[in-house]
């Protein structure tokens, strides 16, 4: 399926249930390129924190991943940034979401690490509108753990296997979610489209 057709499916899903999981979103070459880049830049990852600015702190009992933020003028990320920018424009055109920018990072979860249940909005700031996660792992199996558990409502959740090429998109203020303990190193690219603060 073309990337334009996939983007239309994502827009429809956000307008409907507010979330979608698309296996094989990333073409094989794009997946390989991103995996390679993450491995070349391995030494630049830093422990992820929780909370913003002065309240920011590393708390591994909440989240144990290490992240590497992506700059929007990163030449080696040009194709990936372009894919995200195409999707952003479509969501603005069709859903009037007023998405002003994308912030995103690679995230590496070492064996045994997790991210406790949370919402992707900081208590004092609600400019994150849409969450996008792309997985960069080879042959992920159920026994490898590390599923993304999304709480759809009080009774229901889904578990997403973080297999390479799979994309997850959801409305940031609607769905609590967590990363279950990973039994293998787990790599992803995670981002948020934000609107401007009022
Ligand atoms: C996050 C997050 C989910 C995932 O970074 O906020 O929830 O599956 N990531 O990596
Ligand atoms: Mn999250």
């Amino acid at each position: 399926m073309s990337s334009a057709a996939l983007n239309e499916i994502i827009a429809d899903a956000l307008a409907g249930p507010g979330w979608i999981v698309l296996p094989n979103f990333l073409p094989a070459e794009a997946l390989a390129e991103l995996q390679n880049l993450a491995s070349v830049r391995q030494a630049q990852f830093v422990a992820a924190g929780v909370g913003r600015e002065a309240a920011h702190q590393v708390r591994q009992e909440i989240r144990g991943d290490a992240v590497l933020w992506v700059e929007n003028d990163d030449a080696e990320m040009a194709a990936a940034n372009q894919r995200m920018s195409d999707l952003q424009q479509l969501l603005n055109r069709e859903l009037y979401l007023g998405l002003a920018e994308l912030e995103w990072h690679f995230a590496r979860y070492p064996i045994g690490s997790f991210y406790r249940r949370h919402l992707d909005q900081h208590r004092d700031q609600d400019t994150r509108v849409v969450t996008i996660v792309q997985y960069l792992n080879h042959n992920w199996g159920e026994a490898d753990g590390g599923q993304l558990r999304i709480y759809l409502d009080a009774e229901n959740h889904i578990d997403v296997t973080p297999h390479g090429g799979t994309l997850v998109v959801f409305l940031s203020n609607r769905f609590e979610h967590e990363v279950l303990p990973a039994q293998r190193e787990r790599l992803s690219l995670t981002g948020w489209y934000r609107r401007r603060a009022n």
Side-chain angles (χ1 to χ4, degrees), residues 63 109 115 118 120 133 135 148 177 179 186 188 190 192:
R63 70 182 292 192
Y109 286 76
Y115 192 161
H118 65 281
D120 281 348
V133 191
Y135 297 108
L148 169 64
H177 54 283
V179 176
R186 175 193 194 270
S188 64
T190 303
W192 299 270

Side-chain angles (χ1 to χ4, degrees), residues 38 55 86 88 95 113:
D86 291 346
Q88 178 178 337
L95 307 181
S113 64

Side-chain angles (χ1 to χ4, degrees), residues 63-194:
R63 70 182 292 192
D65 58 325
V67 301
L68 174 62
W69 291 94
V70 177
E71 303 299 330
N72 54 23
D73 60 355
D74 184 335
E76 291 178 299
M77 288 291 286
N81 273 323
Q82 187 62 52
R83 268 192 301 279
M84 290 301 99
S85 153
D86 291 346
L87 176 59
Q88 178 178 337
Q89 282 173 40
L90 181 81
L91 296 180
N92 281 340
R93 205 161 61 230
E94 299 205 345
L95 307 181
Y96 307 102
L97 289 181
L99 308 174
E101 59 178 14
L102 170 72
E103 56 172 10
W104 62 335
H105 60 52
F106 285 96
R108 183 186 304 280
Y109 286 76
I111 293 175
S113 64
F114 49 79
Y115 192 161
R116 293 285 185 227
R117 183 168 173 167
H118 65 281
L119 200 59
D120 281 348
Q121 286 190 347
H122 297 294
R123 233 162 276 137
D124 55 342
Q125 196 202 39
D126 67 353
T127 58
R128 285 177 171 180
V129 179
V130 177
T131 301
I132 307 158
V133 191
Q134 304 175 51
Y135 297 108
L136 308 177
N137 308 294
H138 286 295
N139 303 321
W140 198 273
E142 286 312 304
D144 295 324
Q147 293 88 351
L148 169 64
R149 176 163 292 175
I150 306 177
Y151 296 91
L152 302 178
D153 56 40
E155 285 92 44
N156 302 292
H157 68 256
I158 54 158
D159 283 346
V160 182
T161 299
H163 185 62
T166 296
L167 172 92
V168 181
V169 186
F170 57 87
L171 295 175
S172 306
N173 66 353
R174 281 258 294 274
F175 302 99
E176 292 192 352
H177 54 283
E178 68 179 306
V179 176
L180 302 179
Q183 310 304 333
R184 240 177 84 187
E185 186 176 272
R186 175 193 194 270
L187 193 65
S188 64
L189 250 176
T190 303
W192 299 270
Y193 291 123
R194 322 177 66 116

